[in-house]
Structures are given as structure tokens and as C-alpha cells.
């Protein structure tokens, strides 16, 4: 029997690891259990864009808190944070109207944003096509990360500097609450005890509590992304979000003109069929990540999404990307898909069993931006420290 912990967390993706971080910040003894050698799912298969600007008001607040947390950690330990801002590029008058309205909303939220003229956009972003851009909205506080680097360095920091007890290749097969303690058993028959358990991994949720899982409103989303070869001396700073992002991101739902503009869209377009909005982000090696698409299925029917990459989607995204930027090369060196879970009717899935087992998952595409801030509040709530 292992030492009893204050908290056991199952799943070492961004959501689970930031819960561990905040628990330890509050003086709790924590064990973090990860079924794989290192996180391999949604946390490492995304752009690495931390964009509170794209969130609704509730999650923008979590995202802004996340920015503070990322920067604080980065000041002590390099987890790949780059403060290079985010921009939304409007391609027509409707999109210009939306970014102007979002700019006003963010003034009211006291969140810094800067409207850019067409000429300012062209001067700031090399290779941006004159016939695409009409104006831009820039968020200077936002950051980018290298997803496949960040989570592993964050774990390294917590293990070496905060004394996190991290157990990888540890699959949980049982989690039972009795009185004031929870007993966790692994596939290798290792037993852990804690006052509370937080399950942040969808696969363990499905295995441990199938009846709760089947009644949940969780769906899964498959996203395709690709990465060019390094672009030489070319620099593309920050997160680049384009007109299709303006028409998709939740922040713009709060704009007065949003519903009227959405009514005029073609529901049969390929971008609607495949859930495409074009994003660009340059990695530290000079390559540019381009994407992405969205295909949906109920979590119980995840196999319906298949394991293939749809080349029609990739070719469509590349064609659209070439309408926006003249990159030195569009030669692709890597292609992949990520799958994340989200809720149909809620912004995140939360369910408590016997007071001491907390299932927290289904954060959707908000994970990289919102996990750090949300986890801070959730730890205080779970341990009644508010």
C-alpha cells in the first residue's frame, strides 16, 4: 500500500497536470497517474495557441488567468512559452464588422486588443496576400507554446521542483470510495489511497464508470492538421487566425452582428461540411502548422471517425491557406489528426461520485488555453478553499 495522498489525479494531459500544479500550490500531497509513457493525445496534437480572445466571456477569464500562470512558470522554467500575440485577419466587410465589435467588447472586459488596418497587417505579417486581408484585430498578451514540448517540460518542472509523484505507464482499473478515502488499483495491481480523486482522462472515465459515461452528452471531434518543412529565414509571429475563425470562434457569438452574418452563409459549403477554419502557427524549427478541420461523433461511436486522414480535407485546407499567405514553401513534412472530447450541451463535463471522486473531462478545444485557469478554481472548489 502506497502512502496516502491528499489527491490522486488520473490523466497527465494539460487538464490533469494543471490540476496537479494547483493542488501542490495549495500544499497538497499529489500523485499523478498516466496510462502511457507520456501524454500522447489532444494535449500534444494541437497548434499550441493560447487564445483567450477566441473564448466566450466565462472561458476568456479562465484563459486570461492561464496566461498569468504560463508566464509565471516560464519565468522559472522554460516550458516553451513565446509571448508573440494573436491576430484575426478579416477578409471581407462582414468579418471587419465582427472584429470591430469584438474590439469594443474587449474594451469593456479590459482585455487589450488593437485594430490593425489593411496596410498594418501587410507590414506586420510577411507574405500575407493583399487581395485577402481587409483589416485585423491583434491581441498582444497572447502566447504560443510547443505542445509536444510544453507538457513534458511542465511535468519535469513539477517532478523536480515541486516534488510531484508521477507514475507513467500506470493504467487505473478500479477506483472506489469508502468513507473518507478512495482506493485506486492499477493494472499492475499497485494500490494507491487518497482523500480525493480527479479523473481527467476520457478513456479511464469510460472504463471505470461506463453507466455514467453512456448517459453523458460527450462527443468526440477529429481534427486534421499538417506541418510544412522549415521556412528558412521567413518569420511568421504568433497565432494567425483568419476569416473562417472569425465566423467560428465562440467570442464572436457575443458580437451584435454575428447571428445576422451567420444567416447569410452557405450551409452546404466545404468549410461547413468539414468544419474547416484556417489557422497558421510557426513552430520553433521554422516550420508552419496549418489546419484545421472538425468531424464529430458521439463518444460511444468514436470508431465512426475512422483512423485515416482524409486527403480531400487536407487539399482543401492547403488551397485555402494559399489564398491567404505566400509562404516560401507549402511542402508538407507531417500530417496527423487529433481527437478531443467535448460536451454537446455544457462547456465541460463534471460529475461527482460519493463526494470524493470527481470526473472532469470534455474540455474540448479549450484545453491548451483554459486548463490552467479553470484548474486553479476547480481545486479550490473541490477542497473547499474558496
Amino acid at each position: 500500500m502506497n502512502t496516502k495522498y491528499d489527491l490522486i489525479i488520473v490523466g497527465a494531459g494539460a487538464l490533469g497536470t494543471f490540476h496537479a500544479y494547483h493542488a501542490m500550490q495549495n500544499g497538497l500531497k499529489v500523485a499523478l497517474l498516466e496510462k502511457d509513457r507520456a501524454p500522447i493525445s489532444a494535449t500534444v496534437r494541437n497548434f499550441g495557441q493560447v487564445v483567450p480572445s477566441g473564448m466566450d466571456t466565462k472561458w476568456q477569464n479562465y484563459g486570461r488567468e492561464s496566461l498569468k500562470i504560463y508566464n509565471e512558470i516560464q519565468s522559472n522554467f522554460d516550458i516553451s512559452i513565446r509571448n508573440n500575440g494573436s491576430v484575426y485577419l478579416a477578409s471581407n466587410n462582414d468579418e471587419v464588422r465582427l472584429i470591430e465589435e469584438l474590439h469594443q467588447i474587449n474594451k469593456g472586459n479590459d482585455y487589450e486588443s488593437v485594430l490593425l488596418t489593411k496596410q498594418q497587417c501587410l507590414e506586420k505579417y510577411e507574405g500575407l496576400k493583399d487581395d485577402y486581408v481587409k483589416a485585423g484585430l491583434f491581441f498582444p498578451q497572447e502566447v504560443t507554446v510547443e505542445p509536444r514540448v510544453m507538457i513534458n517540460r511542465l511535468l519535469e518542472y513539477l517532478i523536480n521542483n515541486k516534488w510531484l509523484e508521477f507514475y507513467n505507464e500506470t493504467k487505473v482499473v478500479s477506483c472506489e470510495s469508502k468513507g473518507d478515502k478512495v482506493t485506486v488499483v492499477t493494472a499492475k495491481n499497485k494500490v494507491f489511497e487518497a482523500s480525493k480523486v480527479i479523473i481527467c482522462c476520457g478513456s479511464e472515465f469510460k472504463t471505470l464508470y461506463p453507466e455514467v459515461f453512456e448517459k453523458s452528452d460527450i462527443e468526440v471531434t477529429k481534427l486534421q492538421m499538417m506541418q510544412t518543412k522549415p521556412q528558412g529565414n521567413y518569420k511568421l509571429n504568433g497565432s494567425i487566425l483568419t476569416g473562417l475563425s472569425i465566423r467560428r470562434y465562440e467570442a464572436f457569438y457575443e458580437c451584435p452582428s454575428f447571428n445576422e452574418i451567420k444567416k447569410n452563409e452557405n450551409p452546404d459549403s466545404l468549410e461547413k461540411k468539414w468544419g474547416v477554419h484556417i489557422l497558421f502557427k510557426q513552430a520553433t524549427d521554422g516550420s508552419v502548422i496549418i489546419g484545421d478541420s472538425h468531424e464529430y461523433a458521439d463518444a460511444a461511436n468514436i470508431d465512426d471517425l475512422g483512423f485515416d486522414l482524409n486527403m480531400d480535407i487536407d487539399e482543401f485546407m492547403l488551397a485555402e491557406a494559399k489564398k491567404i499567405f505566400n509562404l516560401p514553401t507549402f511542402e508538407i513534412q507531417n500530417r496527423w489528426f487529433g481527437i478531443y472530447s467535448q460536451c454537446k450541451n455544457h462547456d465541460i463535463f463534471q460529475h461527482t461520485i460519493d463526494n470524493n471522486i470527481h470526473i472532469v473531462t470534455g474540455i474540448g478545444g479549450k484545453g491548451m488555453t483554459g486548463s490552467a485557469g479553470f484548474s486553479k478554481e476547480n481545486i479550490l472548489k473541490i477542497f473547499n478553499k474558496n
Side-chain angles (χ1 to χ4, degrees):
M1 180 74 71
N2 283 58
T3 304
K4 184 176 178 181
Y5 297 91
D6 297 308
L7 174 65
I8 293 170
I9 298 170
V10 180
L15 190 59
T17 300
F18 276 114
H19 271 90
Y21 170 79
H22 291 299
M24 289 185 293
Q25 289 289 92
N26 281 278
L28 302 176
K29 184 175 180 60
V30 179
L32 178 59
L33 313 185
E34 166 57 44
K35 63 182 175 59
D36 297 304
R37 183 177 300 175
I40 60 171
S41 298
T43 293
V44 298
R45 301 188 191 190
N46 62 79
F47 281 89
Q49 297 177 326
V50 182
V51 285
S53 57
M55 307 292 187
D56 63 22
T57 299
K58 174 183 176 180
W59 281 90
Q60 184 187 99
N61 289 332
Y62 289 139
R64 291 168 67 175
E65 184 64 29
S66 293
L67 289 176
K68 296 176 186 177
I69 294 162
Y70 276 123
N71 287 324
E72 180 182 345
I73 296 171
Q74 180 68 26
S75 70
N76 294 308
F77 194 89
D78 181 11
I79 57 170
S80 80
I81 303 299
R82 290 182 288 162
N83 183 199
N84 42 20
S86 304
V87 69
Y88 295 82
L89 299 174
S91 66
N92 58 40
N93 291 334
D94 283 344
E95 292 160 8
V96 170
R97 187 175 169 188
L98 289 172
I99 64 171
E100 289 174 345
E101 291 176 352
L102 187 64
H103 176 60
Q104 291 301 317
I105 289 171
N106 281 287
K107 275 187 176 181
N109 292 342
D110 196 28
Y111 189 46
E112 184 181 3
S113 64
V114 181
L115 283 169
L116 303 177
T117 65
K118 175 188 181 82
Q119 189 58 38
Q120 287 173 320
C121 291
L122 292 170
E123 291 171 359
K124 188 174 178 64
Y125 299 102
E126 181 183 353
L128 178 59
K129 289 195 172 184
D130 179 274
D131 61 356
Y132 178 81
V133 67
K134 296 286 187 184
L137 183 61
F138 180 64
F139 289 85
Q141 298 177 34
E142 298 188 343
V143 305
T144 57
V145 307
E146 300 305 299
R148 300 178 190 188
V149 173
M150 187 281 290
I151 192 63
N152 292 297
R153 288 192 182 170
L154 179 57
L155 285 167
E156 180 186 350
Y157 170 68
L158 296 182
I159 293 165
N160 294 333
N161 296 72
K162 301 292 183 179
W163 303 285
L164 170 67
E165 296 192 28
F166 177 57
Y167 298 86
N168 61 353
E169 298 184 316
T170 301
K171 174 71 174 178
V172 174
V173 296
S174 174
C175 181
E176 295 186 1
S177 179
K178 292 183 179 179
D180 62 351
K181 71 177 182 179
V182 182
T183 302
V184 172
V185 182
T186 75
K188 295 179 181 178
N189 209 32
K190 192 175 183 70
V191 179
F192 295 82
E193 280 189 354
S195 299
K196 294 185 182 293
V197 170
I198 302 176
I199 297 170
C200 294
C201 179
S203 62
E204 266 88 348
F205 170 30
K206 182 178 180 179
T207 301
L208 296 171
Y209 305 102
E211 292 184 359
V212 177
F213 181 82
E214 287 171 7
K215 292 177 182 177
S216 74
D217 66 340
I218 291 179
E219 64 179 359
V220 287
T221 308
K222 179 180 179 182
L223 308 92
Q224 291 187 195
M225 288 158 277
M226 61 195 104
Q227 182 179 26
T228 71
K229 290 191 172 181
Q231 301 285 334
N233 294 324
Y234 175 81
K235 298 295 182 186
L236 184 63
N237 288 323
S239 298
I240 313 297
L241 306 103
T242 64
L244 292 178
S245 304
I246 292 169
R247 294 169 178 275
R248 183 178 179 88
Y249 272 21
E250 292 177 355
F252 293 95
Y253 293 11
E254 299 180 356
C255 293
S257 300
F258 183 80
N259 289 334
E260 177 188 343
I261 288 171
K262 290 292 282 186
K263 286 178 184 177
N264 297 323
E265 293 182 351
N266 177 9
D268 299 318
S269 65
L270 291 179
E271 59 263 29
K272 290 293 184 185
K273 176 182 178 182
W274 291 323
V276 169
H277 62 124
I278 304 300
L279 312 176
F280 301 84
K281 180 237 176 169
Q282 190 166 36
T284 52
D285 68 354
S287 63
V288 172
I289 301 171
I290 301 170
D292 57 0
S293 59
H294 297 76
E295 298 176 89
Y296 302 93
D298 289 339
N301 300 318
I302 188 172
D303 292 342
D304 291 350
L305 294 175
F307 54 83
D308 295 317
L309 289 168
N310 184 330
M311 288 298 100
D312 288 340
I313 294 178
D314 274 14
E315 291 306 314
F316 176 74
M317 290 194 295
L318 270 178
E320 292 299 306
K322 289 176 181 178
K323 295 176 184 177
I324 303 169
F325 273 96
N326 277 319
L327 298 180
T329 179
F330 275 96
E331 188 175 357
I332 301 301
Q333 65 174 347
N334 291 314
R335 302 174 190 264
W336 69 93
F337 69 83
I339 289 183
Y340 63 66
S341 63
Q342 63 185 25
C343 297
K344 296 178 183 177
N345 303 306
H346 303 87
D347 52 2
I348 191 168
F349 182 86
Q350 297 185 83
H351 183 85
T352 300
I353 297 171
D354 296 333
N355 295 318
N356 293 325
I357 301 170
H358 302 268
I359 302 167
V360 185
T361 188
I363 196 171
K366 305 182 292 292
M368 192 61 76
T369 297
S371 288
F374 169 81
S375 299
K376 180 179 181 179
E377 178 183 282
N378 201 40
I379 285 293
L380 296 177
K381 180 180 176 182
I382 288 173
F383 284 91
N384 298 312
K385 291 180 176 289
N386 285 322

